Amino acid sequence: MTRINIEQLRTFLAVVRLGGVRRAASGLNLTQPAVTARIKNLEDSLACELFERRSGGMRLTKRGELLLAHAEKFEHLTELVERDVVDPQGIDGRLRLGVSETIAQCWLPELISRLHGLYPRLDIEFNVDISLNLRAGLLNREIDLAILLGPVSEYFVNNIELPGFDLAWYAAANTEPGLTEDKYLSRPVLTYARNTRPYRELKEMLFERVGPDVSMFPSSSLSACFRLVEADLGVAVLPRALGQEFVDTGRIREFDPGWVPSPLRFTASYLGEPRSHLIETAAKLALEVATEYQRDRNS
């Protein structure tokens, strides 16, 4: 009797989708020998070769193509069982989150707390990075759920739009009030990292409104930007949600040059295939937490 188990099929699908044993091992958090052994056992159980091993990589055989169609149907059925039957508190596994720093400093702790409450046996890994790197990690299947400046415009990526973040201009608390725009913006402008949409948009606006001689100091650390503003080493345009604490404690203050870049738009983005009830639930929970965070700030 042919015996096939769920883990063998999941491993088979990972090798196909990720393009080889090494990347499948990374995606499944296994060693390469473990992945190779699962594929070999699956081939032995089916008495056929599923892959052609070539110097350029692994390609599905005709029987491998047939198995792929059946494995995807089985995967979908397994997902329905997990969604409708399995108690969430009994689900274990790993969720790899990638988040922008703005999110990490605002409502990420609440999201992780709620995920742990819903899935107490779940291991949650999170990485804080710029959206460009998070997007690459998602597309390379190194991240399960990316909360980033979105959306990710690939047809196989699902994007859930999240509440945005208004931006505001900040200067040191001891800066003279009532300065003209050109006086404020003659200072270095501290803002998001160079390879980000907010940096690009701000650069274009400064060029149009002030001229090409404005000094911009990009940084991957928003908290460092606030500290440099506090030390009167420049001005900054940053999320009001993060700046409010500094303003309330009198360390910096807002100023209005008459314009401000558009709000930051974030999405909870994840791959549409393979479907995962766990990842979809985490994305919807991110929307719930983000909406509550914004409502509490506005109340």
Side-chain angles (χ1 to χ4, degrees), residues 157-178:
V157 175
N158 294 329
N159 298 283
I160 295 180
E161 186 174 351
L162 305 175
F165 287 84
D166 290 334
L167 296 174
W169 284 98
Y170 295 102
N174 60 0
T175 302
E176 180 184 349

Side-chain angles (χ1 to χ4, degrees), residues 119-140:
Y119 302 106
R121 296 172 58 181
L122 181 68
D123 289 332
I124 301 175
E125 301 176 3
F126 67 91
N127 176 42
V128 180
D129 208 335
I130 63 173
S131 292
L132 180 69
N133 295 340
L134 296 178
R135 181 184 183 278
L138 179 68
L139 298 182
N140 290 330

Side-chain angles (χ1 to χ4, degrees), residues 3-14 17 28 30 38-39 42 45 67 70-72 74-79 81-82 86:
R3 295 185 180 275
I4 303 174
N5 63 48
I6 295 174
E7 295 307 321
Q8 287 174 342
L9 290 178
R10 284 178 174 165
T11 304
F12 168 75
L13 287 170
R17 289 167 174 159
L28 295 170
L30 296 171
R38 286 186 182 182
I39 297 299
L42 180 59
S45 296
L67 178 62
H70 291 294
E72 288 177 336
F74 187 82
E75 179 184 58
H76 181 60
L77 177 60
T78 303
E79 173 61 24
V81 170
E82 180 180 307
V86 178

Side-chain angles (χ1 to χ4, degrees), residues 24-293:
S26 176
L28 295 170
N29 200 27
L30 296 171
T31 64
Q32 292 187 43
V35 171
T36 300
R38 286 186 182 182
I39 297 299
K40 180 63 168 60
N41 290 338
L42 180 59
E43 290 179 324
D44 290 345
S45 296
L46 297 173
C48 68
E49 289 191 353
L50 301 172
F51 294 95
E52 295 177 4
R53 278 78 170 176
R54 299 180 177 180
S55 58
M58 300 171 67
R59 292 184 59 184
L60 286 171
T61 62
K62 290 184 178 180
R63 290 188 179 274
E65 293 282 1
L66 290 172
L67 178 62
L68 177 61
H70 291 294
E72 288 177 336
K73 293 176 183 177
F74 187 82
E75 179 184 58
H76 181 60
L77 177 60
T78 303
E79 173 61 24
L80 292 177
V81 170
E82 180 180 307
R83 185 192 70 186
D84 298 334
V85 180
V86 178
D87 184 347
Q89 296 209 359
I91 293 178
D92 56 15
R94 180 177 58 145
L95 178 67
R96 299 169 300 174
L97 280 174
V99 298
S100 296
E101 186 187 359
T102 303
I103 304 301
Q105 293 198 32
C106 292
W107 48 260
L108 177 63
E110 179 63 21
L111 174 61
I112 291 178
S113 175
R114 294 198 191 183
L115 282 169
H116 269 306
L118 189 59
Y119 302 106
R121 296 172 58 181
L122 181 68
D123 289 332
I124 301 175
E125 301 176 3
F126 67 91
N127 176 42
V128 180
D129 208 335
I130 63 173
S131 292
L132 180 69
N133 295 340
L134 296 178
R135 181 184 183 278
L138 179 68
L139 298 182
N140 290 330
R141 298 180 185 268
E142 297 165 355
I143 293 173
D144 299 314
L145 175 62
I147 303 174
L148 75 175
L149 290 165
V152 179
S153 56
E154 301 287 350
Y155 74 93
F156 50 83
V157 175
N158 294 329
N159 298 283
I160 295 180
E161 186 174 351
L162 305 175
F165 287 84
D166 290 334
L167 296 174
W169 284 98
Y170 295 102
N174 60 0
T175 302
E176 180 184 349
L179 291 178
T180 59
E181 175 185 350
D182 61 325
K183 291 293 185 181
Y184 275 117
L185 299 183
S186 64
R187 310 287 306 284
V189 177
L190 307 156
T191 191
Y192 279 77
R194 189 177 301 276
N195 295 321
T196 63
R197 186 188 308 159
Y199 172 86
R200 185 179 69 249
E201 292 180 355
L202 177 63
K203 182 178 180 181
E204 292 173 357
M205 295 181 77
L206 286 170
F207 185 88
E208 292 175 1
R209 295 170 178 271
V210 182
D213 297 329
V214 176
S215 297
M216 294 184 66
F217 288 4
S219 173
S220 59
S221 171
L222 301 186
S223 57
C225 288
F226 280 112
R227 289 195 297 271
L228 290 172
V229 171
E230 183 180 359
D232 200 18
L233 296 177
V235 298
V237 57
L238 296 167
R240 181 173 277 120
L242 301 183
Q244 193 59 51
E245 178 184 351
F246 291 87
V247 173
D248 291 344
T249 54
R251 296 151 66 187
I252 63 175
R253 64 178 182 81
E254 285 193 33
F255 71 92
D256 181 12
W259 59 276
V260 67
S262 59
L264 303 179
R265 299 297 181 188
F266 289 89
T267 59
S269 302
Y270 58 95
L271 300 182
E273 293 292 339
R275 289 195 63 182
S276 167
H277 177 61
L278 170 63
I279 296 173
E280 290 179 7
T281 299
K284 292 174 182 176
L285 195 57
L287 174 59
E288 179 182 312
V289 170
T291 302
E292 292 178 6
Y293 177 86

